Amino acid sequence: MNNNPFTRTAMQFGAYGGLSKFVLFMLLYFMHVSPLGNWSSLGYILTILFIFLGTRFHRDQDLDNYMTFGRGVGIGFAISAFTAILYSFMVYIFGMVIDSSILDVYKKESLKALDEASKILIERELQSDALMDQVVQQIEKLSMKT
């Protein structure tokens, strides 16, 4: 384990954040709600919470209650980076091992929402069919690359 307090705190609170976001992901998955859809934005709250807690811990425990602005931004960025790396790795493993169709479901839901939004816009005469076809083609091109 690294004895640098900055790295140790960033890794510790990043791990807490990544694990808590993955627990939220699993809860949404088992509640049959798309864990990659709109509800996944609740994970931002968890990331902000652990950035706050980790920064406060680093200030109080490692730096004797004084921290510069730059050091605070640095520890916050490091915590969010470790959170994102761990969470992304766990979601990738989940997609590879447990449910490989999760991205396809998300793509279908996104296309359905796009279709509903386009119908509303077409009713208001703010969008043409040609532009919608271009958007759908771009989404399909992106999905073929994955």
Side-chain angles (χ1 to χ4, degrees):
M1 184 78 184
N2 195 336
N3 287 332
N4 182 353
F6 181 91
T7 307
R8 184 178 60 239
T9 301
M11 289 177 73
Q12 177 184 1
F13 283 90
Y16 295 155
L19 289 172
S20 64
K21 285 183 72 166
F22 188 70
V23 166
L24 175 65
F25 178 90
M26 294 302 293
L27 285 173
L28 292 173
Y29 179 78
F30 286 117
M31 290 173 25
H32 301 290
V33 176
S34 175
L36 300 174
N38 293 335
W39 284 96
S40 68
S41 60
L42 289 174
Y44 296 133
I45 295 170
L46 294 172
T47 302
I48 292 168
L49 173 70
F50 285 105
I51 289 172
F52 171 76
L53 293 173
T55 303
R56 191 175 68 176
F57 176 86
H58 185 58
R59 181 198 66 195
D60 295 343
Q61 301 298 319
D62 300 333
L63 301 175
D64 296 328
N65 294 322
Y66 174 77
M67 179 170 27
T68 63
F69 177 76
R71 184 71 173 221
V73 170
I75 192 72
F77 178 78
I79 291 169
S80 65
F82 281 115
T83 297
I85 290 168
L86 182 61
Y87 173 69
S88 300
F89 179 71
M90 288 190 292
V91 169
Y92 175 76
I93 296 300
F94 177 84
M96 295 300 288
V97 175
I98 296 173
D99 187 3
S100 61
S101 68
I102 195 164
L103 288 177
D104 294 331
V105 171
Y106 178 65
K107 185 178 97 173
K108 287 177 187 176
E109 289 178 0
S110 297
L111 288 173
K112 181 181 174 186
L114 181 64
D115 188 45
E116 291 173 6
S118 70
K119 287 177 184 177
I120 292 170
L121 291 175
I122 289 171
E123 288 175 4
R124 296 181 184 174
E125 298 177 353
L126 295 176
Q127 185 180 28
S128 69
D129 288 333
L131 181 61
M132 178 52 75
D133 291 338
Q134 285 179 329
V135 171
V136 170
Q137 288 174 358
Q138 291 296 325
I139 291 173
E140 290 175 351
K141 284 180 185 176
L142 289 173
S143 67
M144 288 181 189
K145 290 181 182 178
T146 58

